[in-house]
Amino acid sequence: MAVPTTKTELYQRILEHTNVAILLFDADLKLRYLNPSAEMLFGASVRQLAGQHFSILINPREPLMDQLVEAVRSMHPFAKHEQLLDLLNGKTVTADLNVTIIQSSFGETELLFEITPIDRLMRISRDDAVYEQQVTTRDLLRSLAHEIKNPLGGLRGAAQLLDRELTSEDQREYTRVIIGEADRLQKLVNRLLGPSGMPKTENINIHQIIEYVRNIVITENDSDIKFHRDYDTSIPEIKGDPDMLVQALLNIVKNAKQALGDSGNITIRTRVLRKFTIGQMKHRIVAKIDIIDDGPGIPGDIKEKIFYPMITGRAEGTGLGLSIAQRLIHQHGGLIECESEPGKTVFSIMLPIEI
Ligand SMILES: Nc1ncnc2c1ncn2[C@@H]1O[C@H](COP(=O)(O)OP(=O)(O)OP(=O)(O)O)[C@@H](O)[C@H]1O
Ligand SMILES: [Mg+2]
């Protein structure tokens, strides 16, 4: 292990490797230094930014600007939690901020600005809380479905017996309606109960699953929808239940197809993510499958609720597809995320890879 020779070298190393974005300004809020994390956050290098005023980094309408000027004037440090920052490079980040006023050895006033982005963490905790609520709702509906299943079978059986007894075609119309509607309800109940049992895992190549789903959808395709592939074929095999993964992916791809209607594009993209946290578990590598469509986007009024059972934006939808997909992926220790705006909807399935 390399031993740092000087303190300066040690400090340098820490500054270069910390995840906190660190910026140092002079009393006029002109930038003196920023570390690599800050370069990443603002998408520019120290050379491009040195000497520039703070206002070229963050939207000048942010109240933060006045607060920094005031901090330098009054020599008062401050901290802010979970601040939404509108960066001028187009990014928006939620971050914890720390502002410290320093006197340099030459007697100059300097302002040290630390930014700890917390977007990732927030998303994880939010996901956990939301997932718990989804589980409760889903369990409730499953119990209800279970209660309906048996009497429904009884009703259908009785209607069938009656149907055989009846001689008049007019009267049999009624029994047919009962049987037809009972069948429709039965299908709904079965979907509500969903696939049961634990995943039967085996080593699988995720691209085989994707190609399988792609073929099903393409075979059924009666529209002008175009399918595109963007695969990272270096993704290692994952441990999973092929049937369950096919089902989860199919539900999402079908939604994209339904959202597009007659024409549009669906892209399936795969990538490897490193050091990714799902729930409380940190994973060294994770497979990410994005299903991207250029349709109208998720209707605003249901956007926050689409993973709940029976939430649908389609007249003929049951609102169960995503809820089932979420459960199946969760059983694999994974997660589904979604981002949507008109013209671009991305569903991302994250699956841990244990190697
Ligand atoms: N790619 C997408 N683009 C736009 N809206 C979407 C997309 N995916 C899902 N949605 C919206 O989310 C809703 C919920 O989807 P979900 O798959 O859970 O149920 P559903 O498709 O309505 O019914 P089911 O899948 O049970 O037949 C959809 O009705 C649709 O409004
Ligand atoms: Mg669906």
Side-chain angles (χ1 to χ4, degrees):
M1 193 168 67
V3 178
T5 47
T6 64
K7 257 192 180 172
T8 322
E9 199 183 295
L10 179 66
Y11 295 160
Q12 182 87 20
R13 213 182 293 182
I14 295 171
L15 275 174
E16 277 175 8
H17 290 94
T18 176
N19 287 326
V20 181
I22 297 174
L23 303 98
L24 187 71
F25 294 93
D26 67 14
D28 294 327
L29 293 184
K30 295 226 171 89
L31 191 71
R32 289 208 155 143
Y33 169 81
L34 75 166
N35 73 341
S37 281
E39 287 182 325
M40 286 250 291
L41 185 66
F42 292 103
S45 69
V46 113
R47 258 194 295 149
Q48 291 165 304
L49 294 176
Q52 304 268 18
H53 190 259
F54 183 79
S55 57
I56 75 145
L57 297 176
I58 290 180
N59 191 335
R61 278 181 285 114
E62 290 266 354
L64 185 65
M65 194 66 73
D66 293 339
Q67 290 161 354
L68 290 178
V69 172
E70 180 55 23
V72 176
R73 198 198 59 76
S74 63
M75 306 283 282
H76 274 143
F78 67 87
K80 289 191 168 290
H81 294 294
E82 294 190 14
Q83 283 290 298
L84 197 67
L85 284 184
D86 198 3
L87 309 186
L88 281 183
N89 62 4
K91 276 195 218 166
T92 309
V93 288
T94 308
D96 285 345
L97 310 179
N98 239 304
V99 171
T100 315
I101 307 297
I102 317 175
Q103 288 288 350
S104 79
S105 45
F106 307 107
E108 280 179 286
T109 303
E110 288 178 328
L111 182 142
L112 182 72
F113 190 33
E114 295 161 80
I115 306 172
T116 314
I118 53 170
D119 265 5
R120 183 73 238 136
L121 289 171
M122 279 199 19
R123 196 160 352 143
I124 290 162
S125 54
R126 196 177 63 206
D127 262 349
D128 268 3
V130 171
Y131 187 76
E132 284 307 314
Q133 286 174 11
Q134 289 165 6
V135 169
T136 313
T137 318
R138 208 161 46 212
D139 285 352
L140 198 75
L141 280 169
R142 277 165 65 91
S143 325
L144 187 66
H146 205 77
E147 287 303 309
I148 294 174
K149 205 176 160 93
N150 289 339
L152 190 62
L155 280 177
R156 192 191 188 282
Q160 229 169 355
L161 288 176
L162 190 60
D163 189 70
R164 278 185 218 145
E165 298 295 317
L166 295 176
T167 45
S168 139
E169 263 313 302
D170 279 357
Q171 285 176 330
R172 288 175 81 183
E173 267 299 294
Y174 297 120
T175 48
R176 303 261 158 86
V177 170
I178 300 174
I179 294 168
E181 291 298 285
D183 285 346
R184 210 162 62 87
L185 257 180
Q186 187 71 53
K187 269 193 203 147
L188 177 65
V189 163
N190 286 342
R191 284 202 80 203
L192 273 173
L193 287 168
S196 53
M198 292 302 288
K200 294 182 193 65
T201 58
E202 54 187 82
N203 284 339
I204 42 179
N205 174 342
I206 198 71
H207 294 111
Q208 270 172 10
I209 303 282
I210 298 172
E211 284 293 298
Y212 184 81
V213 169
R214 193 172 171 270
N215 283 336
I216 297 179
V217 189
I218 286 180
T219 317
E220 289 175 353
N221 195 11
D222 46 3
S223 60
D224 274 340
I225 295 172
K226 302 218 164 27
F227 289 85
H228 310 271
R229 305 174 169 108
D230 176 1
Y231 297 165
D232 175 351
T233 47
S234 71
I235 299 180
E237 288 195 324
I238 67 159
K239 280 209 179 344
D241 182 318
D243 292 340
M244 286 186 170
L245 293 178
V246 162
Q247 170 86 70
L249 193 60
L250 193 59
N251 288 0
I252 294 175
V253 177
K254 274 195 173 168
N255 280 348
K257 195 169 165 267
Q258 283 156 348
L260 287 172
D262 289 335
S263 66
N265 295 282
I266 297 178
T267 305
I268 304 188
R269 178 172 66 191
T270 59
R271 292 288 182 268
V272 171
L273 299 180
R274 289 176 201 284
K275 291 193 187 151
F276 193 87
T277 307
I278 300 175
Q280 305 302 322
M281 290 276 285
K282 274 192 184 154
H283 298 281
R284 211 150 57 80
I285 52 172
V286 163
K288 180 170 185 254
I289 309 164
D290 293 328
I291 300 95
I292 308 160
D293 72 74
D294 57 358
I298 297 166
D301 52 336
I302 59 166
K303 210 168 181 173
E304 301 292 320
K305 301 180 276 191
I306 49 166
F307 288 103
Y308 283 90
M310 312 219 80
I311 297 291
T312 181
R314 297 189 300 117
E316 68 286 14
T318 50
L320 292 174
L322 287 175
S323 159
I324 292 171
Q326 177 82 300
R327 189 162 76 94
L328 295 173
I329 295 300
H330 213 263
Q331 283 184 310
H332 284 76
L335 168 83
I336 306 180
E337 286 185 346
C338 168
E339 274 181 57
S340 178
E341 58 184 32
K344 188 171 183 191
T345 298
V346 185
F347 278 85
S348 305
I349 302 177
M350 259 66 87
L351 287 168
I353 303 172
E354 311 305 344
I355 48 169

